[in-house]
Amino acid sequence: MSKYFLSGLMFVHLIPALSAQVRTHVTHPAAGIFLQLSEIQEAVPNPANETLPIIFIDPAKTYQQMDGFGFTLTGGSAQLINRMSSEKRAALLEELFGTKGEQIGISYLRISIGASDLSDQVFSYCDLPEGQTDVELETFSIEPERKDLIPVLKAILKINPDIKIMGSPWSPPVWMKTNGKSVGGSLKPVFYGAYARYFVKYIQAMQREGIPIDAITVQNEPLHPGNNPSLLMQPHEQAEFIKKHL
């Protein structure tokens, strides 16, 4: 059995009186499958195998509210989408973000604040020559996003104005870091205040573009400093930064 997104197996049992069919869209490029609509049959627990967990779902009981479902739209993805013909690009975005008929209706996106490790180049919004700093962020600019990411986001918002967008940084500007490099290092405490202003300027700049940011995280994969770009940000550092500066 092929496994695309499952890391384990479990039985999901819908209460019979409330059960309904579940449909999924499956993509498996190696098999030539792209957004194929599939139906999931109701799973029946096997009493002989008591090692597998059984989840009982009762749609009549509600707990926390989900803000939405979606994925990370990287700079690399935005670049590839922008390279499509206008007709194919429009069709793709409609299928992904539209809410009519068989359209998927993605409702939440995560984007990188600055470059991610899936961007075609490493950048922040306040890059400076080595040895220089800009604590007041006078050189701050989201200009690197104007070519690909911002146009794609604007097209998505035209299709679904209610979509929510989260921003996550892979790294602060290198002059804020202990090693002065895009890979690894930690955020210097002396720049906690400047980095907090960096987030504020980012949210304000995106808002001026008509792109509201619903939420942010302070660091992507904070304990994995091996990507380019990346940052090591221990829990106590995150707590200090969030509590006293953001």
Side-chain angles (χ1 to χ4, degrees), residues 117-159:
D117 57 322
L118 295 175
S119 299
D120 67 342
Q121 59 183 328
V122 176
F123 64 88
S124 76
Y125 302 137
C126 194
D127 289 330
L128 298 171
E130 186 175 355
Q132 295 185 19
T133 62
D134 180 11
V135 177
E136 299 303 321
L137 304 179
E138 295 177 354
T139 59
F140 180 94
S141 173
I142 60 170
E143 189 63 29
E145 308 291 17
R146 297 192 186 281
K147 181 180 178 182
D148 294 310
L149 182 63
I150 288 177
V152 171
L153 288 175
K154 288 183 176 181
I156 291 170
L157 284 164
K158 284 185 178 180
I159 297 170

Side-chain angles (χ1 to χ4, degrees), residues 47-180:
N49 191 345
E50 297 180 356
T51 62
L52 295 176
I54 300 174
I55 298 175
F56 292 90
I57 300 175
D58 185 352
K61 294 182 179 180
T62 58
Y63 298 93
Q64 72 271 27
Q65 182 174 337
M66 302 300 296
D67 286 333
F69 294 88
F71 56 84
T72 295
L73 177 66
T74 66
S77 297
Q79 184 183 67
L80 292 174
I81 291 171
N82 259 350
R83 289 179 178 177
M84 300 174 71
S85 68
S86 58
E87 294 81 7
K88 290 184 177 180
R89 180 170 61 249
L92 173 66
L93 295 180
E94 283 286 350
E95 184 169 7
L96 290 174
F97 300 99
T99 56
K100 300 175 183 177
E102 300 299 327
Q103 295 173 333
I104 296 175
I106 290 166
S107 53
Y108 211 108
L109 279 179
R110 185 176 75 134
I111 58 176
S112 62
I113 300 176
S116 76
D117 57 322
L118 295 175
S119 299
D120 67 342
Q121 59 183 328
V122 176
F123 64 88
S124 76
Y125 302 137
C126 194
D127 289 330
L128 298 171
E130 186 175 355
Q132 295 185 19
T133 62
D134 180 11
V135 177
E136 299 303 321
L137 304 179
E138 295 177 354
T139 59
F140 180 94
S141 173
I142 60 170
E143 189 63 29
E145 308 291 17
R146 297 192 186 281
K147 181 180 178 182
D148 294 310
L149 182 63
I150 288 177
V152 171
L153 288 175
K154 288 183 176 181
I156 291 170
L157 284 164
K158 284 185 178 180
I159 297 170
N160 181 4
D162 297 323
I163 194 168
K164 293 185 177 181
I165 301 172
M166 172 192 291
S168 296
W170 265 240
S171 173
V174 297
W175 53 267
M176 295 186 184
K177 301 173 70 174
T178 55
N179 65 353

Side-chain angles (χ1 to χ4, degrees), residues 1-9 26-28 30-31 33:
M1 179 180 67
S2 297
K3 295 189 294 182
Y4 307 132
F5 305 109
L6 297 179
S7 58
L9 296 176
V26 178
T27 294
H28 184 32
I33 300 172

